[in-house]
Amino acid sequence: MPVEGNMQANGTLTEPTPDRGAPDAAARRPWGIIVLVAAMSIIAIGVVIVLLVGLLRSLEPGALTAAPAPEPAPAPVATAEEYAENTQAYDLATLPVIDVFTIAPALPVDDRPTEGVLPMVATPNAPGAALFADPTGSPVGQLPSTLRFDGTTVPVIEKQEHWARIMISGRAGLPSTGVVGQLTAWVRTADVQFTDNTMSVRVDIAGSSIQVLDGDTVVWEETSFAWGAPATPTPPGRTFIMTTRVDEGAGYTRGHPIVYLGLQSPTLDGFNGQNNAITAFHYHDVRSGAISNGCLRLDEDAIAQLSALPLGTPVVITGT
């Protein structure tokens, strides 16, 4: 509602100039009260409008301030069952030795052959460690602290406070009966010594590559080698360096060491009348393509690299 008045040059409003016939001051007083009440009403209405506008604006789409989103609950982390401690004493002499020549159907084959392992190896305390198929059961064998063909320093697949799952040499069965793959077992952590090991070997037959890694870093690579023929393929999966030695009876190696693995042929029960068909890295004059009984044939420089690796170094073979 406009207020009557004269606009000064400075833009301010002045009171209206009274007419000569205007009522006296007492007569004008009610009008002053009316004007005052009207002004206060206008101010009150203005305040209400401002509040209403503010409220309406706050209700416009997109104008609401969203409440902070609740922090998402942490995703559940899959963890293996923690097995209880077993402090029972066992007479190792009553348990069969598990080595490269053993058929041990009570022990499981590796059920995760394409996965990695922990950066450590385990070695039994003297005189050896009891081997379990299941930490909740009784031992089914023993891994001595020393063996003629080694295999006593092995990779660790899984480690808990009281138990560790390891790879070991030997087989759960023969290929002729349909059982193939890397043998595994559980040991009590109190029965073994753990040693850090960041070295590993990765064999990609399809990609024609053999790599030595320190952690995730490739420190050496070979792209020229031979592998298993179709009827006698190189066994796939994860395994480990069981032993490294010179075999004077293997003339094809030209005196270079053979690096034996803990994994055996998926098609052969044995070689040359032996009861094992172990896979190995070794030197051979003929070393190109799918021609071997499963072994990986390399030149002398490659064998020198691989034979320098510590026992128990994990090896993963893919692309067969």
Side-chain angles (χ1 to χ4, degrees):
M1 177 182 293
V3 179
E4 244 180 73
N6 296 321
M7 179 69 72
Q8 297 275 339
N10 62 4
T12 61
L13 283 169
T14 62
E15 292 293 324
T17 302
D19 292 337
R20 287 182 181 178
D24 59 19
R28 293 198 307 268
R29 188 173 295 116
W31 286 104
I33 294 172
I34 292 172
V35 170
L36 177 61
V37 170
M40 292 178 66
S41 299
I42 290 170
I43 293 171
I45 292 169
V47 171
V48 171
I49 291 173
V50 170
L51 292 175
L52 287 174
V53 169
L55 176 61
L56 290 172
R57 284 182 177 174
S58 70
L59 297 176
E60 290 176 1
L64 291 173
T65 302
E71 290 292 327
V77 178
T79 57
E81 178 185 355
E82 285 284 336
Y83 294 108
E85 184 178 15
N86 177 344
T87 59
Q88 184 173 341
Y90 296 104
D91 182 2
L92 294 181
T94 65
L95 300 172
V97 171
I98 308 298
D99 64 10
V100 66
F101 305 106
T102 305
I103 304 297
L107 288 172
V109 170
D110 189 0
D111 59 350
R112 292 173 290 173
T114 62
E115 295 186 10
V117 301
L118 298 179
M120 63 179 67
V121 292
T123 305
N125 298 325
L131 298 176
F132 298 74
D134 180 342
T136 63
S138 299
V140 296
Q142 63 155 310
L143 181 62
S145 56
T146 59
L147 284 169
R148 179 184 176 189
F149 294 103
D150 297 319
T152 57
T153 297
V154 295
V156 179
I157 298 173
E158 179 182 343
K159 185 175 182 291
Q160 302 179 2
E161 180 180 359
H162 303 297
W163 294 91
R165 191 181 180 199
I166 60 174
M167 290 189 242
I168 56 173
S169 58
R171 293 187 281 184
L174 298 174
S176 60
T177 64
V179 181
V180 298
Q182 175 65 53
L183 199 62
T184 69
W186 288 90
V187 293
R188 298 180 294 187
T189 54
D191 293 339
V192 297
Q193 292 293 321
F194 296 99
T195 306
D196 293 340
N197 176 45
T198 59
M199 305 303 294
S200 65
V201 180
R202 185 164 56 200
V203 179
D204 180 1
I205 291 176
S208 188
S209 170
I210 298 176
Q211 296 176 329
V212 173
L213 296 91
D214 186 352
D216 295 326
T217 303
V218 176
V219 297
W220 174 85
E221 182 173 16
E222 176 61 71
T223 58
S224 178
F225 59 95
W227 58 91
T232 55
T234 300
R238 57 184 175 182
T239 185
F240 62 100
I241 295 177
M242 181 184 72
T243 191
T244 298
R245 61 188 57 227
V246 173
D247 183 351
E248 300 293 351
Y252 54 84
T253 64
R254 306 291 188 185
H256 296 289
I258 301 175
V259 181
Y260 294 90
L261 305 180
L263 191 58
Q264 303 195 37
S265 172
T267 59
L268 299 172
D269 288 351
F271 291 137
N272 302 321
Q274 299 295 320
N275 64 347
N276 69 87
I278 204 74
T279 302
F281 296 108
H282 65 76
Y283 175 88
H284 202 290
D285 291 337
V286 182
R287 50 178 184 270
S288 179
I291 58 175
S292 77
N293 283 324
C295 287
L296 297 154
R297 299 180 179 183
L298 296 147
D299 64 23
E300 58 269 32
D301 292 336
I303 289 300
Q305 289 284 343
L306 294 167
S307 63
L309 293 171
L311 300 185
T313 296
V315 178
V316 179
I317 302 171
T318 61
T320 58

